[in-house]
Amino acid sequence: MPRKKLIRFLENQQRKNLIEPGKEFFGKLKGKWNELYFSNKGEIVLELGCGKAEYTTQLALKEPARNFIGVDVKGARLWFGSNYSEKLTILNTAFLRCPIYKLDEHFGKDEVTEIWIPFPDPFPLKEGRRLTSPFYIKKYLNILRKSGIIHFKTDDSILFEYSLNSFTECGFKAIKHSYDIHNSDISGPAREIITNYENYFIKKNRKICYGMFGI
Ligand SMILES: C[S@@+](CC[C@H](N)C(=O)[O-])C[C@H]1O[C@@H](n2cnc3c(N)ncnc32)[C@H](O)[C@@H]1O
């Protein structure tokens, strides 16, 4: 393993804001994030497949009364958001290392108010692994409040079409959507916060699709 990655894994083990197997809070926060982990009782917002967790950290700075959790299976990526939050003492963040199909082992019914899914892997040949497949959307429905919202961004228009259908199939309505958010009248964090992958796609002149879904 490259030395830098190894150092990051060791740093992750020391970080209180990074919840991963073998650590104090791992597996013990279901239904209790606001009771045991956060210092405020604010709404909980998830960023799934967060990578460097730009939505988690930037939204947490803008909205200190709400709590933001970046979820990813890769510790080397979670290190970035965790490190940034620690350096800036952003207390309303957490970073959870787990596969997303296990979300309901970590969150209780109605515990989550909002979910962001920025630039998930498109898995062209493996529909079941897409984070916007009905399999995954049904998982989100187990933890999302009735009035909850899901935001989704991608540069892949085929995945976007597919996801519009999946959300509809699972009972969601598209509240807003655009095949080119940066040339649309949509404003706010969906447009303003640019993730690492989005930055790469914008440089390649790819159009960025965005959908906001509610029941
Ligand atoms: C294409 S990257 C996008 C990262 C970030 N959202 C961005 O926009 O820069 C997809 C991320 O999702 C994570 N991921 C993919 N499938 C996952 C799963 N089933 N459970 C947890 N994380 C997953 C990967 O580890 C990776 O960090």
Side-chain angles (χ1 to χ4, degrees):
M1 184 186 296
R3 195 176 136 75
K4 214 170 176 178
K5 211 171 182 179
L6 189 64
I7 291 171
R8 286 183 179 155
F9 282 144
L10 291 173
E11 287 181 358
N12 280 355
Q13 286 173 12
Q14 307 306 318
R15 293 252 169 78
K16 246 197 135 175
N17 67 8
L18 202 151
I19 291 151
E20 59 181 350
K23 287 169 85 174
E24 182 193 356
F25 282 127
F26 188 82
K28 302 201 178 96
L29 292 171
K30 179 172 177 165
K32 294 183 182 163
W33 283 84
N34 283 350
E35 189 189 321
L36 299 179
Y37 179 85
F38 289 114
S39 53
N40 75 55
K41 306 283 170 233
E43 293 175 350
I44 291 179
V45 179
L46 304 184
E47 181 184 8
L48 302 183
C50 66
K52 294 184 175 177
E54 291 85 354
Y55 272 91
T56 303
T57 51
Q58 299 312 309
L59 289 173
L61 285 168
K62 275 181 208 270
E63 301 183 59
R66 299 214 288 169
N67 296 321
F68 297 85
I69 304 171
V71 184
D72 205 294
V73 77
K74 293 194 178 152
R77 295 199 177 163
L78 287 169
W79 179 89
F80 288 91
S82 162
N83 186 51
Y84 184 85
S85 278
E86 191 172 272
K87 293 268 175 313
L88 272 68
T89 325
I90 313 176
L91 298 177
N92 56 331
T93 56
F95 301 88
L96 173 65
R97 181 160 72 82
C98 83
I100 287 160
Y101 76 90
K102 290 191 172 174
L103 270 188
D104 48 12
E105 293 181 12
H106 299 277
F107 298 93
K109 191 174 170 341
D110 298 336
E111 194 170 17
V112 172
T113 300
E114 208 170 304
I115 295 177
W116 288 82
I117 312 174
F119 301 89
D121 297 297
F123 293 117
L125 301 177
K126 292 180 182 159
E127 184 201 333
R129 294 188 64 187
R130 296 177 197 153
L131 296 187
T132 53
S133 66
F135 169 80
Y136 277 100
I137 296 174
K138 285 172 192 159
K139 295 262 169 203
Y140 311 150
L141 281 168
N142 289 337
I143 59 171
L144 191 66
R145 284 187 190 170
K146 285 279 166 293
S147 56
I149 296 289
I150 301 182
H151 306 265
F152 164 56
K153 287 173 94 177
T154 181
D155 70 305
D156 185 327
S157 58
I158 296 170
L159 176 66
F160 192 59
E161 279 288 339
Y162 165 85
S163 307
L164 288 173
N165 288 330
S166 298
F167 279 109
T168 307
E169 187 184 321
C170 295
F172 283 87
K173 287 195 179 72
I175 300 166
K176 292 178 192 172
H177 79 282
S178 168
Y179 284 83
D180 185 5
I181 187 175
H182 296 296
N183 285 299
S184 75
D185 58 6
I186 293 171
S187 57
R191 183 157 173 175
E192 286 155 14
I193 297 176
I194 309 285
T195 71
N196 188 40
Y197 272 72
E198 180 166 8
N199 198 25
Y200 171 81
F201 294 133
I202 289 174
K203 283 188 185 146
K204 291 199 164 260
N205 287 324
R206 307 234 353 145
K207 291 194 167 105
I208 305 300
C209 308
Y210 165 70
M212 174 184 181
F213 304 92
I215 299 259

